[in-house]
Amino acid sequence: MADEALFLLLHNEMVSGVYKSAEQGEVENGRCITKLENMGFRVGQGLIERFTKDTARFKDELDIMKFICKDFWTTVFKKQIDNLRTNHQGIYVLQDNKFRLLTQMSSGKQYLEHASKYLAFTCGLIRGGLSNLGIKSIVTAEVSSMPAYVQIQKKIYLLARKENK
């Protein structure tokens, strides 16, 4: 429980620190999002190296995605992805109905514009992990309403939702 709270605090401070240190032009041009995603990318690469060093090779892309949904997501967020869907043509939808990094945000339209900065690190985390497993991807987040459904596309879509209290 304490490690989860520390992770949430660290994540919030990381986002806050990147935005506080940025100049106005960087915020407007999306450089802060890019910085956060790059941080996540490097962390994702490192975590995948550690988690897969003693595992057998994956048979295919679907096996990799199952690993991301079960083992990787569980280690990072203390729960499995709630739903994994695919069209078997390289498109995956990952759904997390109680996405922990959004649970601290209040519901409401005024918070929509801030949600993406709290998802950039996670996008990078997934992209970095997949990169080290041999899958090149583009991972982006879209939040249309709170509770948030987050689409991360690579070919991978992650649907995350804020937990209702």
Side-chain angles (χ1 to χ4, degrees), residues 124-140:
L125 197 69
I126 293 169
R127 193 171 62 87
L130 290 172
S131 173
N132 259 17
L133 294 173
I135 298 176
K136 294 201 184 291
S137 60
I138 299 168
V139 182
T140 59

Side-chain angles (χ1 to χ4, degrees), residues 78-111:
K78 306 296 184 221
K79 68 181 288 299
Q80 289 184 10
I81 287 284
D82 294 314
N83 193 3
L84 169 64
R85 291 178 290 188
T86 182
N87 68 353
H88 299 288
Q89 296 177 356
I91 305 244
Y92 297 92
V93 177
L94 287 68
Q95 185 172 353
D96 186 339
N97 293 324
K98 295 179 182 174
F99 189 60
R100 284 180 165 71
L101 298 180
L102 292 180
T103 57
Q104 304 303 317
M105 293 183 75
S106 295
S107 295
K109 297 268 187 217
Q110 69 269 31
Y111 299 104

Side-chain angles (χ1 to χ4, degrees), residues 61-89:
E61 200 173 79
L62 185 58
D63 265 359
I64 291 172
M65 293 311 301
K66 287 178 183 177
F67 176 81
I68 293 291
C69 293
K70 290 180 182 177
D71 301 316
F72 185 73
W73 204 261
T74 301
T75 303
V76 176
F77 296 108
K78 306 296 184 221
K79 68 181 288 299
Q80 289 184 10
I81 287 284
D82 294 314
N83 193 3
L84 169 64
R85 291 178 290 188
T86 182
N87 68 353
H88 299 288
Q89 296 177 356

